[in-house]
Amino acid sequence: MASQNSGDSLSASGARSRSRSSVPPVKCYHDDIAPIRTVRVNCPTQGRRFYGCSHYPRTCGFFKWADEVDNVELEYERDVLKGKVKQLKQTTTKLEDQVAELAIENIEKFHAMETVKADKKLCIMLFMSWVLGGCDGLVER
């Protein structure tokens, strides 16, 4: 019994070390986290890891091979990552649209500034021609 408890404590720590924040933990039918254990009996599955009931030996009958759960976890992680990629693509599209709108606004502002600049030049030229034209009139008198 003591050897089984020490194996369980190692298994429980192993389950903690391999837990991933994005993947829900494996739970037994008691709705408790199922510790990962290793088959220790001399049989064809010796050394294979599995999840068992957290209330061993008063078990609820829960059992799953760890490698099968890992496949489920990988599929779950893949689905999560696909969702993140989809969100990133949507964000990229929105940002590209915003950049295009800003580029159009900048072009419009540049043209407006060029128009203002041309208007200022015209005003200066008209003022200078008026001043110089007025001076010519004074000189002739």
Side-chain angles (χ1 to χ4, degrees), residues 20 23 35 44 52 71 81 87 97 102 112-113 120 138:
R20 298 177 185 117
V23 178
N71 290 339
L81 290 174
Q87 288 176 342
D97 291 345
L102 288 173
M113 286 174 31
K120 283 182 180 178
L138 290 176

Side-chain angles (χ1 to χ4, degrees), residues 48-127:
R48 193 167 177 192
R49 298 170 60 109
F50 65 94
Y51 290 94
C53 176
S54 60
H55 295 279
Y56 182 83
R58 207 174 31 112
T59 180
C60 63
F62 177 81
F63 176 89
K64 283 195 181 192
W65 290 113
D67 54 358
E68 292 172 359
V69 172
D70 289 343
N71 290 339
V72 171
E73 289 176 354
L74 289 174
E75 289 174 12
Y76 175 81
E77 286 180 11
R78 184 195 65 212
D79 291 343
V80 168
L81 290 174
K82 278 184 178 182
K84 288 180 180 180
V85 167
K86 184 178 179 180
Q87 288 176 342
L88 288 172
K89 284 181 180 180
Q90 290 173 346
T91 301
T92 301
T93 302
K94 287 178 186 178
L95 289 173
E96 287 171 347
D97 291 345
Q98 289 176 351
V99 166
E101 289 174 11
L102 288 173
I104 291 170
E105 286 178 24
N106 284 340
I107 290 170
E108 290 171 351
K109 287 179 181 179
F110 177 77
H111 287 300
M113 286 174 31
E114 289 296 316
T115 303
V116 168
K117 197 175 183 182
D119 289 347
K120 283 182 180 178
K121 284 182 182 179
L122 180 61
C123 288
I124 291 171
M125 288 174 50
L126 286 172
F127 178 75

